[in-house]
Amino acid sequence: MTIAAFSGEIDFTTREELRARLDTLKEAATAVVDLSDVTYMDSSALAELLFLHRARSRAGRSVPRLVIGPRITRIFEVAGIQNVMPLFATLDEARTG
Amino acid sequence: MINPVRSRGAFFSLLAATAVLALFAAAAFLSRNAIERNADFQRALRVAQVDRSRLVRLQLDEETGMRGYMATRAAVFLQPYRSSRLAFSAAAAALARDMAALGPGDTHVAQEERINAQWLRDVAEPAIADPATGSRYTLQLRGKQLVDAFRAQDAALSDELDRIADQAELRTSRQIANTLSWSLATGVALAVILLCVSFVQQRLERELEEQRHAYLEEKRVADALQEAFLRKELPELAKADLHGVYVPAGLEAKVGGDWYDAFELNDNRILFSIGDVAGHGIDAAVIMSRVRQAVLSVGVEERDPAKVLARANEILLLQDVTIVTAVCGMIDLAHSVITVANAGHPAPILLHANGQTEMLKAGGPPLGALDRPSYASHTTMIDTGSLLVLYTDGVIEYGRDWERGEAKLIEAIRSVKSGGVLDPAASIMQAIFGNEPPVDDVAILTITFRDADASPQPMAADVATASARPILDRSARTLIQSIGSAS
């Protein structure tokens, strides 16, 4: 299980860094993205999470698990991500799957 | 943006240069103070020289007074002798103090005092008491020896004072030179710092100007593209008023790829879409135009918005660069229904004539993200007097707080509805942002459903309380005529 954790605000100004760090999860057996300390995310950040999912599914790997804090729940709901990737409230829940 | 690393480097260089400058200035200040202290020293030196000549004069007065008395026996000659003798020890003490102030180790004054005392005791007093004794050769010789010794001490003292004066002068001139050098160094350092600051500032300004220019250029092109895409007039319909507003982001933020579209299709259908390309600049504007093209070309043939989105997703996957959130919908005016499919976009809000708001939630993932996403269409009845509001996330995201943004949007929609306005889209924009430019691109598309024979007019406040009436109630003939005259 490989975990990448983020905090603060993620938007198009931090997109490259986000992409670089998510790339490290591409080959992992199980990928967990911990966003519980993220206070804001824009759609470009969402795009990178979806691209990670797409890259893994094209390689026949499992769906990334996302840990989502209350402050960004809404953007995931609006974008309909809950139907695409499993969302967890805590890292422990994401670990046990 | 200013390169933070380079500006930090410049900052530390400036700090170092300022420290050097402070050192130089401190050195200049210290040597200036030293010059002042030296001036005090030289004043003390002059006092010592005055006191020295006074002592010599007193000794001379003693001697001439004694000799005068010996030669004439006139008491008047004893006057200078006596007064000088009285004043001598006080003058000697003053000179000794002067010498101590100039430095330790002077013995000349003490020697002079001792010799003078010997001369008074061994020569002057016996000679005054008895002039016969005074003219004796041995006493004369003794007197000469003592006076010579006194003069020798005085000469040595004079030499010593000259030596001290020379040293002080040398020191002063050296300190003046030092002060000048440090002041000069301070001036040079200051000039160098000012030059560097102005150079760095100019370069930063130039870089900023270049970046600003490049940014403005890209924004200008993207804005022009956006404007060209949005300039197309919305269709004028008999039973629905369409209004759109698009405001590009303020200077500092991104220029995005927001759009809205509405087309009148045959058999009383309206195809509409609104969307937002993740990313900004010209690339986003280009992607936007492709998606809109796809939605239009598929939508003309395909009645199901979910299938339109699925097809748009396939087209976007060929680009494989970014994601797009969009809502695609079909309004069937003949049957008073609206069908909506959503690809990760904020849900459209339908304000019914009875004042209830409904969020048209039909969730699917954003376009361009997944290979085989599933989109579902959601159908709702519409009634006369209802208002459909489509928007991009800039509308609710402006405070980076979605919940608050949604609440504010719904409040704005209600206020617009009850206030009765000609252009609901512009009014909602105004209600939310006032005169502040939005930080992100913002697009709003509104569709007001009304009676076919009613001309476009401000939405009356009482519409909200009017009974919901399906558009279908109107006679087919009036409907066809209205559409005919509108197109």
Side-chain angles (χ1 to χ4, degrees):
Chain A
M1 179 173 293
T2 310
I3 300 167
F6 299 88
S7 62
E9 301 198 340
I10 310 178
D11 60 19
F12 64 94
T13 61
T14 54
R15 188 169 186 171
E16 296 302 322
E17 191 192 338
L18 174 67
R19 178 179 300 168
R21 293 193 50 202
L22 289 181
D23 276 351
T24 62
L25 297 182
K26 274 187 176 169
E27 313 286 322
T30 307
V32 177
V33 185
D34 184 356
L35 302 165
S36 47
D37 288 333
V38 172
T39 55
Y40 169 80
M41 265 182 71
D42 73 354
S43 53
S44 66
L46 214 53
E48 294 306 324
L49 292 171
L50 288 163
F51 290 157
L52 170 68
H53 169 46
R54 190 173 69 195
R56 287 178 59 83
S57 72
R58 280 178 184 173
R61 293 194 167 82
S62 64
V63 181
R65 301 171 186 179
L66 308 182
V67 185
I68 306 294
R71 294 184 64 174
I72 53 169
T73 309
R74 195 80 191 96
I75 186 177
F76 282 84
E77 276 174 21
V78 167
I81 303 301
Q82 68 276 18
N83 301 324
V84 179
M85 288 179 267
L87 307 183
F88 298 90
T90 65
L91 186 56
D92 282 340
E93 288 173 36
R95 274 184 217 274
T96 52
Chain B
M1 293 265 278
I2 303 166
N3 184 331
V5 176
R6 200 154 54 198
S7 65
R8 201 159 53 224
F11 174 73
F12 283 121
S13 313
L14 196 64
L15 206 65
T18 312
V20 169
L21 178 71
L23 277 178
F24 286 178
F29 181 73
L30 286 178
S31 47
R32 193 196 69 91
N33 280 1
I35 291 177
E36 219 159 70
R37 276 200 308 280
N38 236 13
D40 290 343
F41 186 82
Q42 280 180 328
R43 259 192 300 280
L45 193 64
R46 273 196 298 280
V47 170
Q49 272 158 345
V50 169
D51 284 351
R52 185 204 126 240
S53 36
R54 183 156 174 261
L55 200 65
V56 170
R57 206 190 65 232
L58 286 175
Q59 193 276 330
L60 202 64
D61 284 355
E62 283 175 351
E63 197 188 351
T64 47
M66 183 209 76
R67 286 194 188 285
Y69 180 75
M70 276 179 64
T72 61
R73 287 284 145 196
V76 70
F77 285 104
L78 280 181
Q79 186 55 38
Y81 169 78
R82 292 224 164 93
S83 64
S84 299
R85 192 184 158 180
L86 271 175
F88 193 91
S89 58
L95 182 57
R97 271 198 307 276
D98 294 342
M99 293 308 292
L102 294 175
D106 174 70
T107 56
H108 300 302
V109 180
Q111 290 287 347
E112 285 179 18
E113 212 174 355
R114 190 180 53 76
I115 292 165
N116 188 57
Q118 273 181 7
W119 179 81
L120 287 172
R121 192 189 65 222
D122 298 351
V123 180
E125 290 300 323
I128 288 168
D130 178 9
T133 313
S135 8
R136 277 215 306 271
Y137 175 76
T138 48
L139 200 73
Q140 292 280 329
L141 188 63
R142 176 70 178 146
K144 182 185 177 343
Q145 279 171 345
L146 286 169
V147 169
D148 284 350
F150 186 92
R151 298 276 149 77
Q153 286 299 330
D154 178 61
L157 185 62
S158 176
D159 286 351
E160 176 67 11
L161 284 173
D162 283 349
R163 191 182 62 77
I164 293 173
D166 285 350
Q167 276 180 351
E169 208 163 291
L170 193 68
R171 209 156 54 227
T172 302
S173 56
R174 206 179 294 139
Q175 276 156 355
I176 287 172
N178 279 356
T179 306
L180 283 177
S181 315
W182 286 122
S183 302
L184 194 67
T186 307
V188 169
L190 191 65
V192 166
I193 286 174
L194 288 179
L195 271 176
C196 287
V197 165
S198 94
F199 176 75
V200 168
Q201 194 178 355
Q202 269 176 12
R203 206 180 56 185
L204 281 179
E205 271 170 16
R206 203 169 53 239
E207 277 177 22
L208 273 178
E209 186 51 41
E210 280 166 12
Q211 282 167 356
R212 212 176 89 87
H213 186 78
Y215 173 81
L216 281 180
E217 187 57 24
E218 171 146 356
K219 180 170 162 56
R220 195 183 60 74
V221 174
D223 279 353
L225 279 172
Q226 197 94 348
E227 205 187 310
F229 293 141
L230 293 175
R231 200 165 41 218
K232 185 182 67 63
E233 303 246 319
L234 290 166
E236 285 183 19
L237 304 168
K239 297 198 333 179
D241 294 328
L242 277 67
H243 293 98
V245 60
Y246 166 75
V247 179
L251 252 189
E252 298 76 12
K254 61 171 190 168
V255 177
D258 286 16
W259 87 86
Y260 60 81
D261 259 335
F263 304 95
E264 190 179 8
L265 304 179
N266 56 10
D267 56 26
N268 257 335
R269 286 184 304 138
I270 304 168
L271 170 70
F272 63 85
S273 67
I274 188 162
D276 179 5
V277 179
H280 54 103
I282 296 168
D283 294 345
V286 169
I287 295 286
M288 177 191 83
S289 81
R290 296 208 172 114
V291 178
R292 294 173 73 184
Q293 209 60 46
V295 168
L296 177 60
S297 57
V298 180
V300 168
E301 301 295 324
E302 178 58 68
R303 282 167 180 258
D304 182 0
K307 287 183 180 158
V308 176
L309 289 181
R311 182 75 191 115
N313 181 63
E314 283 171 30
I315 291 167
L316 200 56
L317 277 180
L318 298 176
Q319 319 283 330
D320 214 14
V321 281
T322 190
I323 65 165
V324 176
T325 71
V327 167
C328 178
M330 199 76 81
I331 300 171
D332 184 347
L333 290 170
H335 298 97
S336 295
V337 292
I338 175 171
T339 307
V340 171
N342 192 332
H345 197 78
I349 297 172
L350 180 61
L351 179 63
H352 288 283
N354 65 9
Q356 282 184 340
T357 52
E358 182 185 351
M359 294 196 99
L360 304 184
K361 289 189 176 173
L367 304 173
L370 304 175
D371 291 326
R372 278 171 303 279
S374 73
Y375 295 108
S377 290
H378 179 83
T379 301
T380 314
M381 289 294 293
I382 46 177
D383 39 40
T384 304
S386 59
L387 171 68
L388 178 66
V389 181
L390 299 128
Y391 53 95
T392 55
D393 60 6
V395 175
I396 52 173
E397 200 190 358
Y398 66 95
R400 299 211 150 181
D401 182 344
W402 284 64
E403 312 264 351
R404 208 163 60 86
E406 275 175 351
K408 189 156 184 178
L409 173 61
I410 288 175
E411 188 189 316
I413 292 171
R414 287 183 191 280
S415 76
V416 161
K417 171 105 180 172
S418 61
V421 293
L422 263 176
D423 185 341
S427 299
I428 291 169
M429 182 75 80
Q430 173 70 25
I432 292 177
F433 292 100
N435 295 319
E436 293 288 308
V439 293
D440 197 355
D441 287 12
V442 163
I444 298 177
L445 173 66
T446 61
I447 305 175
T448 313
F449 301 98
R450 61 178 166 80
D451 286 345
D453 52 356
S455 57
Q457 60 184 2
M459 293 165 59
D462 61 341
V463 170
T465 54
S467 62
R469 187 167 30 173
I471 294 171
L472 196 62
D473 281 359
R474 310 301 306 168
S475 78
R477 192 156 162 266
T478 316
L479 198 74
I480 290 160
Q481 276 178 348
S482 302
I483 293 170
S485 64
S487 54

